[in-house]
Amino acid sequence: MSDEVGNAKRALRAELRERRRIRTASERQHADAALTQNLIALTTSLGSRSLAAYLSTPNEPGTRDFVAWACEHGIRVLLPVSRIDGLLDWAPYDGGSEESDALGMPVPTSELLGPIAINEVDLIIVPAASVDRRGMRMGWGQGYFDKTLGSMESSPPVYAVIFDHELVDTVPSERHDQRVNGVVTPAGIVALPLA
């Protein structure tokens, strides 16, 4: 990573973390309700029967109600479990108990399926710090999702979940960074070009 790009990413991540941290409970509640409806609309429009998603943490755009909806509607949900080697294992989720992985992220307590289990889903929902209008996703700096998406021979649609202001004209990017097909925000679903 060049120093210039690395510094730009660190500065943008710090700004976005702070903006997320200071959101009021009311703002979060309204955003989460709208996100849930938009994620349901995306899943329904694509006819998805299996998906890879994640359980949001308190400052992230909320995915928990959507994941619960998917489980209740018989959609197979796989959640990521971070590994020390920088890859992601996947575990099926049915709305049951959860614990924290090596990064402190919430994960299910079910069996681990390994990194290739994601190849069986027909929609991938990923976290992001920001996404630009070219579809370039900037994550939080660990590289887990970039490695996963970059290793797939063919990928189903990939959508990042962000707040409205996190869809920007451009994000600092590097060669290994992966693009997404679109974003889901409280305001709606935006399809993005994959260059």
Side-chain angles (χ1 to χ4, degrees):
M1 171 183 333
S2 76
D3 287 342
E4 186 178 326
V5 172
N7 290 338
K9 283 184 171 184
R10 279 187 287 282
L12 182 55
R13 286 181 183 123
E15 176 189 335
L16 295 169
R17 274 190 186 98
E18 181 62 13
R19 287 181 79 169
R20 286 182 175 190
R21 187 190 67 75
I22 63 173
R23 292 178 76 85
T24 67
S26 176
E27 288 173 330
R28 287 174 207 229
Q29 185 178 27
H30 285 92
D32 288 356
L35 278 166
T36 298
Q37 291 308 308
N38 292 332
L39 285 163
I40 290 170
L42 174 66
T43 304
T44 303
S45 71
L46 295 175
S48 300
R49 299 306 312 148
S50 63
L51 58 91
Y54 65 99
L55 295 173
S56 55
T57 60
N59 287 338
E60 288 183 304
T63 60
R64 288 175 172 273
D65 289 343
F66 163 69
V67 170
W69 171 87
C71 291
E72 290 167 7
H73 286 81
I75 297 171
R76 183 172 192 239
V77 177
L78 296 181
L79 298 181
V81 179
S82 56
R83 296 175 10 167
I84 295 172
D85 63 5
L87 298 176
L88 291 173
D89 280 328
W90 297 90
Y93 188 61
D94 62 4
S97 61
E98 59 188 69
E99 55 188 32
S100 295
D101 69 8
L103 295 177
M105 302 303 293
V107 296
T109 57
S110 58
E111 66 175 314
L112 293 180
L113 302 178
I116 64 171
I118 194 171
N119 291 315
E120 300 170 11
V121 302
D122 49 29
L123 173 62
I124 301 174
I125 303 295
V126 297
S130 186
V131 176
D132 71 23
R133 297 196 182 279
R134 300 170 299 149
M136 186 58 68
R137 172 190 170 271
M138 185 181 78
W140 293 105
Q142 300 297 319
Y144 284 95
F145 283 97
D146 287 325
K147 288 174 190 164
T148 297
L149 297 174
S151 71
M152 298 178 76
E153 285 186 27
S154 63
S155 173
V158 179
Y159 280 77
V161 179
I162 56 175
F163 292 113
D164 298 314
H165 68 274
E166 295 168 346
L167 177 58
V168 298
D169 290 334
T170 186
V171 295
S173 62
E174 299 168 278
R175 195 171 179 177
H176 67 271
D177 291 328
Q178 298 294 310
R179 295 181 189 276
V180 295
N181 298 91
V183 297
V184 180
T185 73
I189 302 164
V190 180
L192 298 167
L194 285 175

